[in-house]
Each structure stands twice: as structure tokens, then as C-alpha cells.
Amino acid sequence: MSTLTYAGRTYLFRVDNGVVFRNTYSADGASLHYETLAGPAAGTQETVTLHAAESAPGVFVLGWVERSGMTITHVMNLNTDTVHAFWTYETASGRVGELHTGTIEPA
């Protein structure tokens, strides 16, 4: 793996569904502290352990599991400041998956 260029940085992640996160990555790139700034879960925050790989220069696949059981996978492209995100969560009808896109900017 090459340098984790997102490590030690904070980004605002604006999702296509109106949700906004402040994502702060640890200096070693092994954890993420997120805060939900807008959307149904505004005010939620957590620090999670990351599983990360660089798939191309400046393009990272990041995955984690939240306390709630929600699973998240991001393909974060620092060359274009875009993210493709896939998350799953439980509902009364069973597990649901959603695919979203968004943009990032330094915070």
C-alpha cells in the first residue's frame, strides 16, 4: 500500500440524499471519527476502525462496521473529490442496502 493520503485529514462529505458528514481520519489512517451534521441522524458521532486499501493512485476503498450494526463501504477518490458509498442496515422488514454518491471537501 502506498501513502494513505487521507490520513490525518478532515473532510465534509455531502451525500446525494442530503446527509452531510464531517469525517476526521486518524494520522495513521486506521480509524475514522465521523459526525453527522445534517440528515435524519444529525448529531450522531462515532469513532470506527477502518479497513483500507488503495485501489489506484489517490483512490481508496474504506470499510467499517458501526455500533448500530450498519456496514459502510466508501470508494473515496481524492483526485476528483468524489465518493461512492454503499451501506447496509436493519429495518423491521430485514436488511437494506443503499448506494449513494457524494462529494468531499477539506473541512
Side-chain angles (χ1 to χ4, degrees):
M1 182 184 304
S2 63
T3 305
L4 301 174
T5 53
Y6 64 85
R9 295 181 168 197
T10 300
Y11 297 95
L12 289 181
F13 173 32
R14 299 179 190 282
V15 187
D16 59 9
N17 64 359
V19 176
V20 179
F21 298 97
R22 179 182 296 122
N23 290 346
T24 302
Y25 297 91
S26 62
D28 64 0
S31 66
L32 160 68
H33 179 80
Y34 73 84
E35 301 170 67
T36 309
L37 303 178
T44 303
Q45 58 181 313
E46 183 177 354
T47 300
V48 295
T49 300
L50 289 178
H51 304 277
E54 187 173 30
S55 61
V59 180
F60 298 91
V61 178
L62 305 168
W64 65 90
V65 178
E66 297 179 355
R67 270 189 309 262
S68 67
M70 192 167 192
T71 62
I72 315 291
T73 304
H74 280 187
V75 176
M76 183 168 61
N77 187 330
L78 298 179
N79 303 310
T80 60
D81 295 329
T82 58
V83 175
H84 286 81
F86 180 73
W87 54 68
T88 69
Y89 55 93
E90 282 298 325
T91 70
S93 303
R95 198 140 189 96
V96 173
E98 296 181 11
L99 184 61
H100 293 280
T101 59
T103 60
I104 55 174
E105 63 187 72

